[in-house]
Amino acid sequence: MFTTIGDVTAALSAQRYIPSDEIATTVFLAEKLGKPILAEGPAGVGKTELAKVWAAATGRDLIRLQCYEGLDETKALYEWEYAKQLLYTQLLRDKLNDLLAGVTTLAEAADRLAAEEDVFFSSRFMLPRPLLKAITSERPVTLLIDEIDRADAEFEAFLLEVLSDFQVSVPELGTIRARHQPMVLLTSNNTRELSEALKRRCLYLHVDYPTAEQELQIVNLKVPGLPPKLAQQAVELVQRLRGMDLKKHPSVSETIDWARALLELNARHLDRATIEKTLNVLLKFEGDLQRARRAMVRDEGDRARRERDEFGRPRRDDESGRFRGN
Amino acid sequence: MDQRVVDFIHALRAKGVRISLAESIDAMRCVEIAGVADKQFFRSALRASLVKEPRDLPTFDELFPRFFSLDTPPPLQQPGSGMSPEEREQLAQMLQQMLASLSPEQLRRLFEMMMTGQGMSGSQMRQFIDENTTATQMTTGFQPWATRRALRELQFDRLEQLLQELLQKLREAGVSEAALRQLEQEARENREALAQQIGKEVGNGLQQREAEERRRRPAEDLQDRPFEELKYQDDDDMRAIINRLAAQLRTRVALRQKRANKGILDAKSTIRANLRYSGVPLDIRHRRKHLKPRITVICDVSGSMRAVTGFMLMLVYALQDQISRTRPFVYYRTIADVQSDFQQLRPEDAIRVVPDRVQGGPWQTSLGSCLETFTRDHLDAVDRRTTVIFLGDGDDHMSPPNPRAFETIKRRAHRVVWFNPEPPYRWAREDNHMHIYGPMCDAVHHVSNLRQLVAAVDGLFS
């Protein structure tokens, strides 16, 4: 599908996703080796988005399994549709009577019923969950297993089986093998250590916050109407906030939300009032907000002092009165 | 190239990065695909297949250039390219004379290499360094230092002096000044190249030695060692042990919960499960009694207790997924809530800072008044689902015992458990109030090593 890394970068970019070299390399290797990717990193840096654009870029369907505490096989793999089975039994009662007509012994009746048993335990009555869907799909798929760190350790162990052979066994039906080997992306927010067995089977991708340059590209791509200068300032501010000691650093998705908010508010430049009004899009904790505000006030004080010359007259500076990233 | 990758994997392992055989096979396959032409690609390919922990990334970044950097030492050149044949003849003669009388042997070899341009291969140079210096036997793996030491032991700085002597002799023999200057230049370049090669080989030697030592170190079982003997220095080892113990505990807890199918009848699930038997309840389902414990740990951080406190907190935080809420407190002369430290830092870092959150010094443990403070300010950390764990030796040098406060905590809590690293016969000595608090607890465990600690923590989940 891809012959060089450049192809990967181009295909992902065509889906409006800007991959770093590392992301492109890992995706390329995963395609070549058929191995799952384990993407770790802070929340909101585009791990889930990567799965979506990967699927779109390769023309595969995306199947998503969201993990949570208590997730088990019946939610992830398959379940029998008992209600439907019962309903069918009721509706087919006459048919069953016909079938059993003329039977003299119990054993004979049981034999005849047993011959029909397969009808009730067939894929007709099976409710496929994401994992089985991914395996039985007619079309090639990309399987996204989101936030695997939230699932229990037992589920992780079960997942290993599926990921290593891409087959599952259903007792009533036998073993189901994948028609197309799905491409798998697991994401984790690093809330707990994943087992080594799982890590061993995956290619590891550490997705971190993007550099200022990349983030500016992302903002320009996702929020095209934003004036370039404003975008530049916004990204600088976000990058600076990430350098501060905050409880939760603003993620890329929050930068995009903020840029959209600035666009909606028709902001021309980042003055203090605009920042005050919209900072809560970036920072979600009261303590963080206050800390950021204090830092900004301190900055302005510093700059005001710098902008006055030794006689107390303002120095000429075309950006005075605005907040700058650095 | 394959050998180089294998060496690189060994070096990574020596630095404590866990790489399995399967992963090294993957790395080889990745390298096959990536090729070596594009260095960035090659690097990311190795990284994606070998490094699975963010904390190992710096190690990778440090080692990668040492193994795959392109700056191999430049080859030596033959000095004297700008000389006439007669002058070259003179040079060869003078050099022979000087070499004949030169000692020690290793300096003679170096000077010869520098002036004739006939160097050694990597492995020869390694042998040369190993025979003549002690640099690669150094216990510290700090490469620049070891390199300097190797150069000093080889008397590398005397090369300049020898070069000047030789030049002087040639000058007296009437060799032209321009030719001499060029000779000097070429000899100096050779010397730099030699120094680089030595540095590189010293680095390789150090890494190999480190890898061997790592392999030699016996995998001793630290579980039965008393806490005082366990130094809290090798973080990686300790973390590995704690994680292993935590994994064992987790499996045990999970198994126990699976077998103990007792709980109240789960009507909804039973009906669903028995639809296949047309509603005849053959398969009875119970609501899983999977109440995760809430834990409040109150730890003594006086000098003698610090090690065991560290392990206890590490273990509790390694088991976070089995616990619904943890509230850590530490006490010495005063008591402090250290939950925020554990929220902001990784457990192993938090453990290092929490002793500073409280006041106190030797012989200042004041358990009685700390209990008083706790019942006054922090009782919200105890409710009827909470298991309160006291971790301490029960010493109290400053205040009288405070059974009333202890009783208050006990009345509110689900259980009160005491982990004491000191043996029971010392519990009744002066200044120790264990004999008062002990009988009031639901359980008292003597924990003097990791095995006992794990057994005691295991008891919390049953």
Side-chain angles (χ1 to χ4, degrees), chain B residues 273-291:
Chain B
N274 289 289
L275 275 176
R276 63 172 113 177
Y277 312 119
S278 55
V280 181
L282 296 176
D283 180 5
I284 308 290
R285 296 290 170 96
H286 298 273
R287 191 159 288 156
R288 274 175 84 184
K289 200 177 157 193
H290 193 141
L291 272 187

Side-chain angles (χ1 to χ4, degrees), chain A residues 79-217:
Chain A
E79 194 168 28
W80 289 108
E81 245 180 315
Y82 301 123
K84 199 168 162 192
Q85 282 173 339
L86 259 189
L87 198 64
Y88 270 59
T89 330
Q90 296 294 320
L91 290 175
L92 297 177
R93 188 176 282 167
D94 296 343
K95 208 79 189 133
L96 285 174
N97 282 339
D98 290 352
L99 183 74
L100 297 180
V103 178
T104 46
T105 62
L106 258 178
E108 201 181 337
D111 283 348
R112 279 199 196 175
L113 263 183
E116 305 292 327
E117 198 175 47
D118 286 351
V119 174
F120 288 97
F121 286 103
S122 63
S123 45
R124 191 197 306 266
F125 295 104
M126 196 146 78
L127 203 60
R129 304 288 192 194
L131 283 180
L132 191 65
K133 262 191 214 161
I135 282 178
T136 55
S137 163
E138 296 283 340
R139 286 162 45 71
V141 293
T142 298
L143 174 64
L144 165 65
I145 302 177
D146 216 358
E147 304 189 345
I148 175 73
D149 50 335
R150 287 210 204 165
D152 307 320
E154 298 97 89
F155 181 73
E156 212 180 294
F158 158 76
L159 204 57
L160 288 179
E161 248 175 77
V162 181
L163 290 185
S164 53
D165 303 335
F166 293 105
Q167 63 175 38
V168 289
S169 43
V170 180
E172 292 89 345
L173 295 181
T175 305
I176 303 174
R177 218 173 283 279
R179 293 195 188 152
H180 311 274
Q181 182 175 336
M183 288 291 126
V184 185
L185 180 82
L186 300 112
T187 74
S188 155
N189 287 340
N190 228 341
T191 54
R192 73 175 169 88
E193 293 250 323
L194 299 173
S195 76
E196 296 191 344
L198 183 72
K199 285 187 169 169
R200 200 167 60 218
R201 281 171 176 76
C202 301
L203 293 173
Y204 183 79
L205 175 64
H206 184 75
V207 189
D208 215 336
Y209 293 120
T211 58
E213 206 175 302
Q214 282 171 331
E215 190 158 28
L216 186 61
Q217 264 183 317

Side-chain angles (χ1 to χ4, degrees), chain B residues 24-268:
Chain B
S24 51
I25 295 172
D26 282 347
M28 288 297 183
R29 288 174 62 198
C30 285
V31 167
E32 257 167 50
I33 293 171
V36 287
D38 182 348
K39 190 171 167 196
Q40 192 57 41
F41 185 10
F42 177 73
R43 182 194 171 101
S44 326
L46 275 184
R47 197 154 102 158
S49 50
L50 290 178
V51 181
K52 310 277 165 101
E53 303 272 349
R55 66 164 180 268
D56 292 336
L57 285 175
T59 315
F60 180 91
D61 291 339
E62 182 201 331
L63 284 182
F64 184 84
R66 285 206 215 158
F67 278 80
F68 302 107
S69 64
L70 291 172
D71 52 304
T72 44
L76 302 182
Q77 50 188 339
Q78 176 154 18
S81 54
M83 297 169 121
S84 64
E86 303 89 67
E87 285 174 334
R88 222 172 282 170
E89 189 62 31
Q90 276 180 325
L91 169 65
Q93 271 182 13
M94 297 275 182
L95 189 60
Q96 278 303 327
Q97 279 176 17
M98 273 186 82
L99 287 175
S101 60
L102 194 60
S103 75
E105 166 66 15
Q106 68 267 31
L107 187 63
R108 198 185 68 78
R109 293 274 297 278
L110 276 178
F111 190 56
E112 188 179 356
M113 280 189 273
M114 174 169 129
M115 294 317 298
T116 60
Q118 275 152 5
M120 292 179 177
S121 72
S123 51
Q124 281 171 327
M125 181 58 93
R126 259 296 276 298
Q127 207 183 348
F128 179 66
I129 293 172
D130 284 345
E131 279 168 10
N132 295 307
T133 74
T134 55
T136 48
Q137 271 94 57
M138 285 169 70
T139 45
T140 160
F142 192 50
Q143 190 198 347
W145 187 19
T147 308
R148 271 210 300 282
R149 181 153 160 179
L151 292 179
R152 202 165 54 235
E153 288 179 41
L154 290 170
Q155 307 190 6
F156 202 78
D157 50 341
R158 275 188 60 196
L159 286 177
E160 175 69 28
Q161 187 195 333
L162 291 170
L163 175 63
Q164 292 304 335
E165 265 176 45
L166 181 66
L167 288 176
Q168 190 57 40
K169 281 185 188 167
L170 287 170
R171 197 170 287 132
E172 284 163 9
V175 178
S176 74
E177 199 57 35
L180 279 181
R181 214 170 297 136
Q182 195 178 350
L183 178 66
E184 187 179 3
Q185 175 72 20
E186 283 161 348
R188 286 219 174 114
E189 275 167 20
N190 275 355
R191 196 185 54 174
E192 284 315 303
L194 278 174
Q196 272 186 38
Q197 194 186 5
I198 290 172
K200 188 163 173 254
E201 291 306 326
V202 167
N204 285 348
L206 283 179
Q207 266 154 27
Q208 193 177 339
R209 202 178 113 86
E210 205 173 335
E212 276 164 13
E213 275 198 351
R214 190 99 184 173
R215 223 171 297 149
R216 268 207 304 266
R217 202 190 311 173
E220 54 172 343
D221 198 2
L222 299 172
Q223 280 201 46
D224 291 317
R225 290 269 210 86
F227 283 117
E228 304 88 69
E229 285 183 26
L230 291 177
K231 291 275 160 41
Y232 198 70
Q233 52 196 194
D234 200 342
D235 271 354
D236 281 344
D237 282 1
M238 251 31 261
R239 198 185 304 121
I241 290 174
I242 293 284
N243 281 344
R244 207 184 64 224
L245 291 177
Q248 278 175 7
L249 262 180
R250 199 175 285 130
T251 332
R252 240 185 277 168
V253 172
L255 267 180
R256 205 181 296 141
Q257 269 158 0
K258 205 165 196 174
R259 293 208 186 111
N261 235 348
K262 297 194 186 79
I264 56 167
L265 178 76
D266 187 346
K268 220 155 102 186

Side-chain angles (χ1 to χ4, degrees), chain A residues 8-57:
Chain A
V8 180
T9 314
L12 294 185
S13 303
Q15 302 295 324
R16 295 164 38 94
Y17 185 88
I18 297 178
S20 65
D21 281 352
E22 226 175 293
I23 292 178
T25 313
T26 315
V27 169
F28 180 74
L29 289 173
E31 288 270 349
K32 287 281 172 197
L33 298 175
K35 283 195 151 278
I37 298 180
L38 171 64
E40 261 187 336
V45 289
K47 300 188 294 286
T48 308
E49 188 68 17
L50 173 62
K52 289 181 189 162
V53 296
W54 188 12

Side-chain angles (χ1 to χ4, degrees), chain A residues 269-289:
Chain A
H269 53 252
L270 274 186
D271 51 30
R272 192 148 153 217
T274 320
I275 294 179
E276 283 281 325
K277 253 187 292 178
T278 54
L279 202 57
N280 55 356
V281 180
L282 278 180
L283 300 174
K284 307 289 164 72
F285 287 97
E286 188 53 33
D288 286 357
L289 275 171

Side-chain angles (χ1 to χ4, degrees), chain B residues 182-433:
Chain B
Q182 195 178 350
L183 178 66
E184 187 179 3
Q185 175 72 20
E186 283 161 348
R188 286 219 174 114
E189 275 167 20
N190 275 355
R191 196 185 54 174
E192 284 315 303
L194 278 174
Q196 272 186 38
Q197 194 186 5
I198 290 172
K200 188 163 173 254
E201 291 306 326
V202 167
N204 285 348
L206 283 179
Q207 266 154 27
Q208 193 177 339
R209 202 178 113 86
E210 205 173 335
E212 276 164 13
E213 275 198 351
R214 190 99 184 173
R215 223 171 297 149
R216 268 207 304 266
R217 202 190 311 173
E220 54 172 343
D221 198 2
L222 299 172
Q223 280 201 46
D224 291 317
R225 290 269 210 86
F227 283 117
E228 304 88 69
E229 285 183 26
L230 291 177
K231 291 275 160 41
Y232 198 70
Q233 52 196 194
D234 200 342
D235 271 354
D236 281 344
D237 282 1
M238 251 31 261
R239 198 185 304 121
I241 290 174
I242 293 284
N243 281 344
R244 207 184 64 224
L245 291 177
Q248 278 175 7
L249 262 180
R250 199 175 285 130
T251 332
R252 240 185 277 168
V253 172
L255 267 180
R256 205 181 296 141
Q257 269 158 0
K258 205 165 196 174
R259 293 208 186 111
N261 235 348
K262 297 194 186 79
I264 56 167
L265 178 76
D266 187 346
K268 220 155 102 186
S269 163
T270 305
I271 290 174
R272 234 155 72 105
N274 289 289
L275 275 176
R276 63 172 113 177
Y277 312 119
S278 55
V280 181
L282 296 176
D283 180 5
I284 308 290
R285 296 290 170 96
H286 298 273
R287 191 159 288 156
R288 274 175 84 184
K289 200 177 157 193
H290 193 141
L291 272 187
K292 293 184 175 179
R294 289 181 185 175
I295 288 182
T296 296
V297 241
I298 303 175
C299 298
D300 188 346
V301 286
S302 61
S304 57
M305 293 292 303
R306 223 162 263 183
V308 58
T309 295
F311 284 112
M312 173 73 189
L313 289 173
M314 284 272 271
L315 194 59
V316 166
Y317 275 87
L319 285 169
Q320 270 304 284
D321 55 337
Q322 301 291 330
I323 300 170
S324 77
R325 198 191 60 188
T326 312
R327 289 287 299 270
F329 290 86
V330 294
Y331 75 88
Y332 204 164
R333 186 157 60 80
T334 58
I335 188 166
D337 182 357
V338 290
Q339 193 177 19
S340 60
D341 286 319
F342 280 91
Q343 278 166 350
Q344 283 163 9
L345 302 171
R346 298 204 317 190
E348 55 267 30
D349 299 325
I351 286 162
R352 229 164 271 140
V353 299
V354 291
D356 304 332
R357 299 281 178 253
V358 288
Q359 299 161 6
W363 307 101
Q364 288 190 357
T365 311
S366 174
L367 179 55
S369 69
C370 286
L371 283 174
E372 192 65 44
T373 319
F374 184 84
T375 50
R376 195 187 63 219
D377 297 341
H378 301 298
L379 262 190
D380 62 310
V382 183
D383 62 19
R384 62 180 184 81
R385 278 183 58 194
T386 311
T387 302
V388 180
I389 305 170
F390 281 91
L391 181 71
D393 48 13
D395 275 0
D396 194 339
H397 307 297
M398 310 256 296
S399 54
N402 195 345
R404 194 179 47 78
F406 201 85
E407 184 63 38
T408 315
I409 297 171
K410 185 177 153 57
R411 257 205 311 269
R412 278 180 72 101
H414 173 54
R415 291 172 77 204
V416 177
V417 186
W418 197 298
F419 291 180
N420 195 327
E422 298 220 311
Y425 66 84
R426 298 181 65 179
W427 291 355
R429 67 169 197 272
E430 199 189 352
D431 271 9
N432 190 312
H433 300 148

